[in-house]
Amino acid sequence: MRLILLGAPGAGKGTQAEIICEKLSIPAISTGNILRKAVKNGTEMGKKAKAFIDSGKLVPDEVIISIIKERLAEPDCARGFILDGVPRTVVQAEAIEKAGIEIDKVVDIEVPDDEIVKRLSGRRVCASCGASYHTVYKPSADPTKCDRCGGELIVRKDDEPSTVLERLAVYHEQTEPLKDFYAARGKLVVVEGQEQVADTTALVFKALEA
Ligand code: AMP
């Protein structure tokens, strides 16, 4: 299964990607997580990406395209993969296509903007492994620690309200056109994001079977 998860920031792509990848035993690849790790490690790529991420803008396409081509060439992707947060522009989608990377389905998780703003204010992420939590919808056992690795849970800098509005604007302008791009290729399935994580998961699996 080669899958793309599409949707606004905070729609639940990362959470669903974690669940699906475990059920299907395929890797979930989040360019956001890869970039945040690069920023944390102070690599050249991280230094270039930081200002874009902090201001809610997209990192330039050529950086993303090289990250994704390199990652998808790794052996663990041979049986399938889930792309979370990539592609985010038509240029990125075209590059994936041109590289001969086949995609089976694109699941678009729809959540209204006002709900996104509410959700992102409760999001917490593990500073160590990138796992995603929510204070109400997906709390960790200890509110300060990651259930998976024990890492510290933090609020992402780009989840601050002013940056969230910019990210939503960027989503509507640059990422939403991907719905038409993949609908035209017969690959798009749309799922309404639910309040409960498990309810969205059930809809995603139903959509994948269709
Ligand atoms: P995410 O964790 O997917 O919400 O991504 C966080 C930030 O990383 C985004 O707001 C962008 O600045 C950057 N980013 C992640 N993935 C991409 C992508 N595919 N294209 C451009 N920028 C990206």
Side-chain angles (χ1 to χ4, degrees):
M1 179 63 81
R2 289 152 302 190
L3 209 63
I4 290 173
L5 293 185
L6 206 61
K13 302 185 297 295
T15 300
Q16 295 302 326
E18 280 172 28
I19 297 169
I20 304 166
C21 80
E22 203 150 296
K23 285 204 179 168
L24 301 183
S25 297
I26 51 176
I29 298 163
S30 152
T31 39
N33 280 351
I34 293 172
L35 290 166
R36 278 185 290 279
K37 204 172 276 176
V39 171
K40 195 173 155 200
N41 294 338
T43 66
E44 273 313 303
M45 181 177 79
K47 281 182 202 153
K48 273 189 225 156
K50 189 176 186 312
F52 292 102
I53 298 171
D54 286 351
S55 61
K57 301 260 191 299
L58 293 184
V59 170
D61 285 327
E62 60 272 19
V63 177
I64 301 294
I65 291 165
S66 90
I67 292 177
I68 206 70
K69 278 190 186 165
E70 207 172 288
R71 181 64 188 88
L72 290 178
E74 285 179 32
D76 65 332
C77 294
R79 285 187 47 250
F81 51 78
I82 303 166
L83 297 183
D84 158 19
V86 65
R88 249 179 166 100
T89 64
V90 171
V91 172
Q92 292 175 22
E94 284 170 346
I96 288 172
E97 211 169 62
K98 273 191 213 131
I101 299 162
E102 288 280 341
I103 300 296
D104 298 312
K105 278 211 167 121
V106 178
V107 180
D108 169 38
I109 306 177
E110 287 282 321
V111 174
D113 283 6
D114 52 349
E115 183 61 26
I116 289 287
V117 175
K118 268 196 269 170
R119 283 188 187 200
L120 287 179
S121 66
R123 176 155 75 178
R124 301 290 180 271
V125 295
C126 174
S128 186
C129 75
S132 193
Y133 297 88
H134 191 280
T135 49
V136 178
Y137 303 119
K138 196 193 167 199
S140 54
D142 173 338
T144 62
K145 283 199 187 112
C146 176
D147 288 342
R148 202 156 77 179
C149 76
E152 184 199 359
L153 296 189
I154 56 164
V155 176
R156 270 170 54 171
K157 198 169 173 213
D158 60 345
D159 279 348
E160 280 163 20
S162 57
T163 318
V164 166
L165 295 181
E166 173 63 21
R167 288 166 65 207
L168 269 174
V170 165
Y171 168 74
H172 289 304
E173 191 185 313
Q174 300 192 56
T175 307
E176 226 172 1
L178 288 177
K179 289 190 212 168
D180 286 343
F181 182 92
Y182 286 114
R185 285 155 178 77
K187 306 215 188 260
L188 188 78
V189 288
V190 180
V191 161
E192 299 291 330
Q194 306 294 306
E195 201 164 274
Q196 297 299 322
V197 171
D199 293 341
T200 305
T201 306
L203 292 178
V204 169
F205 275 98
K206 206 165 141 204
L208 290 179
E209 281 160 16

